[in-house]
Amino acid sequence: MNELRAILSDVVTRLFTERVTRELSEAAEQGEWPGALWQAVEENGLTLPLVPEAKGGAGGTWGDAYVVVSAAGRHAVPLPLPETIVASWLLVAAGLDVPLGPLTVAPVQRDERLKLVRRDGGLRLDGTAARVPWGRAAKHVVVVDETDGRATVALVAAGGARVTRDTNLAREPRDTLAFVGAPVLAAAPAAGLPHDAVRLHGALVRAAQMAGGLEAILALATRYATERRQFGKPIGQFQAIQQGLAVLAGHAAAAGMAAANAFRAADRRDPWFETAVAKARVGEAAGIGASIAHQVHGAIGFTYEHQLQFVTRRLWSWRAEFGGESEWATLLGRSVAERGAETLWPFLAAR
Amino acid sequence: MPTFHFELGELPPAAEALRAEVREFLRAELHEHTPAQRARSWGGFDREFSRKMGARGWIGMTWPTRYGGRERSALERYVVLEETLAAGAPVSAHWVADRQSGPLLLRFGTEAQRQRFLPAIARGELAFAIGMSEPDSGSDLASIRTRAERVAGGYRVNGTKVWTSNAHISDYMIALFRTQHDAAKKHEGLTQFLVDPKSPGITINPIIDLRGAHHFNMVVFEDAFVPEAMRVGEEGAGWKQVTTELAFERSGPERYLSSLALILELIREVGKVPGERAAAVVGRLVAHLATLRQMSLSVAGMLEAGQNPNLEAAVVKDVGTTFEQEVPEIVHALLGVEPTNDTGTHLQQVLGYLTQSAPSFSLRGGTREILRGIIARGLGLR
Ligand SMILES: Cc1cc2nc3c(=O)[nH]c(=O)nc-3n(C[C@H](O)[C@H](O)[C@H](O)COP(=O)(O)OP(=O)(O)OC[C@H]3O[C@@H](n4cnc5c(N)ncnc54)[C@H](O)[C@@H]3O)c2cc1C
């Protein structure tokens, strides 16, 4: 781990351990915006790891951002921090300035499009996007659309949308935003950005959040297994429990590797394959991991009172957001089949 | 808290240059190999091939040059291993020695043993077998009963080893014997020896596996003599050494690539434009494969950095064998073609071979249950 990452890791761990309390998590689920936490996160320079220092960011890499995003997952942080990181990176990729405050990206659903149109002497945004993460809380929305055959990144004020509130399983905001001729505050083409940049990078950060979440539930379940006693001994001494936790450990390890590798690929500016791999592999790990963690915890883990559910409900939602395992596996399978069996190993070995 | 940690591995340019060389060599050597032959990989025993690998400097390649090694990095070795396995090369005449017997001798052997065996191993001339399991001692290895008693100039051995792969065609076996009998301290009093399987008093009986193939053996020792000079390490240090040896065994990339040949046949079968279900199946397998490769590379990176990734290696082996074991099942579920022995299409034959080998993936080198026990210990549960 390089120095910046070590520092980031210390900062996020300390901040999230102190500030993401049970009260805060519950209040967020009730719809309260954790403004003080956001401010602390922003002041600590965690929201813009990929933005150059000259533009007010940390000037880091995706590898650095991984530390923040996976920690956000590990601590089930109820903020649009991964979304802000992606949105700010998209703005930078197009050479645009990054506003302060929480950002989000849209659209996130496969078949939706938000259209950039030239009207009344300016660029405007039309269309409806459902399940936009933290749509109600974001100050701005970053959109990628094609204009003149090029991927164009555009910034609009979230206030320019009609918002219909909804949430995911963990009661994180997932709102419908309807734009009708909303004025675009800034826009520019981004060379080399794929047209599906929003979904791709959305999948990328969800994979890292899930990898963090898996670490968290492994730690929770392992600790519980050493504390909970039945039949006169800690349940962690029963072999069935040990074997289950070993399986969970394997999935957590695989998830961390797949997600970190996808962030490394993003630093190479070629993240499609590794992101598809990560979203498919980590999503599977999330399902199996959550199931084992709950089994080990017994009934107490099935209560709202216990903190396990703050993570597992997120895992169940995150695995579906920005494309679930089957969608990414299908895309991956098609690309592999098209290249043919002969190229599979050379391709893998070159990554 | 979890006590394992995986960092992304990175291959240096020298390793990538080597990869091209290895690939070229394998292409020339294996161009006539059918998919079913490639699926056999470390079931394939071919001394000629092993000697060629040795001549290239690709056996014992991290060892000191004075023992016939090339002092290459662990990452360069990793590249040779993964390319060789991915190509399905017949590696078993040098594999065991390169992976565990050689490193064991390098670490615990006498100077004379190193001089005598390591250069020959590195040339690809010496095949090794592993004599650990016994009829009454499988997972509970420390309970072995084959006895080595001190006699003039060496030891007299009595007992039986079993499942000894390739003992009938190997030049040497590294065997674990009991040199002291104290039921209360079964981990003590174990000692490792270099055994020449052709010596008097040793009978090798074939055991035929479920496919009808012969690689397993039962090796019976009846007053067999093993010279003092062939003892590996101190008397009584056998348990510690064997644990180290098993860690060598688990640390390589071989524990997830066994079913690669079948994945390749599956991709050929579904064609360039697969249906949605087939695409999803292929994609999922590739997602697992790509992730396991990164995990495996990560372990190689830790070895290169001089760390001791025993726990990480156990994790990779467990995840890897689970994966390679489920591949035949998944292919069956998708395609439903009948697995065959040596008739039918390449796909059918590869499926037939792997369907029948898959049960062994989670047995050899420590069963799944034992491995998960090691992981649980790493998690602090035992
Ligand atoms: C293809 C192949 C090649 C092999 N080659 C060699 C070789 O060259 N040299 C050699 O020495 N050995 C070799 N072996 C033997 C191998 O090391 C043993 O099979 C292995 O150690 C398990 O021992 P066992 O087969 O006696 O099973 P057992 O130990 O009897 O186990 C049977 C079942 O019980 C389970 N079990 C046992 N103990 C426990 C426990 N404490 N908790 C939970 N479950 C438990 C096991 O996991 C397994 O599922 C080979 C095996 C195979 C399949």
Side-chain angles (χ1 to χ4, degrees), chain A residues 239 243, chain B residues 96 129-141 161-166 215-216 357 359-370 382:
Chain A
Q239 200 177 46
Q243 302 265 311
Chain B
V96 171
I130 304 161
M132 294 189 191
S133 306
E134 295 184 5
D136 292 329
S137 303
S139 300
D140 185 9
L141 182 60
K161 291 290 170 184
V162 73
W163 317 126
T164 330
S165 298
N166 295 334
H215 50 91
F216 278 152
S357 331
S360 75
F361 297 167
S362 53
L363 296 173
R364 57 190 185 190
T367 68
R368 165 174 302 144
E369 288 72 22
I370 294 303
R382 39 193 300 250

Side-chain angles (χ1 to χ4, degrees), chain B residues 96-168:
Chain B
V96 171
D98 177 67
R99 181 183 67 187
Q100 57 193 95
S101 315
L104 184 83
L105 292 176
L106 191 61
R107 182 102 149 237
F108 301 112
T110 63
E111 185 55 29
Q113 287 167 351
R114 291 181 198 152
Q115 304 264 1
R116 176 170 165 201
F117 294 105
L118 295 179
I121 290 174
R123 287 195 300 270
E125 290 168 2
L126 289 188
F128 273 70
I130 304 161
M132 294 189 191
S133 306
E134 295 184 5
D136 292 329
S137 303
S139 300
D140 185 9
L141 182 60
S143 71
I144 58 154
R145 291 200 301 245
T146 299
R147 299 191 64 166
E149 290 159 300
R150 265 197 182 277
V151 292
Y155 297 81
R156 186 175 57 227
V157 181
N158 281 287
T160 302
K161 291 290 170 184
V162 73
W163 317 126
T164 330
S165 298
N166 295 334
H168 60 302

Side-chain angles (χ1 to χ4, degrees), chain A residues 1 218-219 222 225-226 236 242-243 245-247 249-250 253-254 257-258 260-261 264 273 277 280-281 284 329-330 332-334 336-342 344-346 348-349 351, chain B residues 1-2 4 6-10 19 23 82-83 86 264 267-268 271-272 274 276 279-280 283-284 286-291 293-295 298 315 319 369 372-373 375-376 379 381-382:
Chain A
M1 211 189 273
L218 173 61
T222 304
T226 60
Q242 292 175 355
Q243 302 265 311
L245 288 173
V247 174
M257 243 334 48
N261 194 38
R264 177 165 70 179
F273 177 80
V277 163
R281 181 64 185 87
E284 185 178 324
T330 306
L332 199 56
R334 287 202 182 116
V336 166
E338 198 195 333
R339 282 194 300 266
E342 304 312 319
L344 176 64
W345 177 257
L348 284 184
R351 309 300 292 188
Chain B
M1 268 305 280
F4 61 81
F6 288 87
E7 288 263 355
L8 288 172
E10 194 93 53
R19 185 191 301 283
R23 231 175 241 177
E82 72 170 0
E83 286 299 322
L264 298 179
I267 294 170
R268 287 187 187 108
K272 293 258 175 227
E276 179 141 345
R284 177 180 173 274
V286 170
H288 278 257
L289 194 62
T291 303
R293 177 168 180 273
Q294 291 301 330
M295 296 174 84
S298 174
V315 171
V319 177
E369 288 72 22
R372 289 183 179 168
I375 298 168
L379 291 173
L381 294 172
R382 39 193 300 250

Side-chain angles (χ1 to χ4, degrees), chain B residues 314-338:
Chain B
V315 171
V316 180
K317 189 187 166 197
D318 182 42
V319 177
T321 52
T322 302
F323 168 70
E324 56 183 16
Q325 199 165 58
E326 76 180 14
V327 175
E329 193 60 29
I330 287 168
V331 169
H332 168 77
L334 180 71
L335 302 175
V337 300
E338 186 179 345

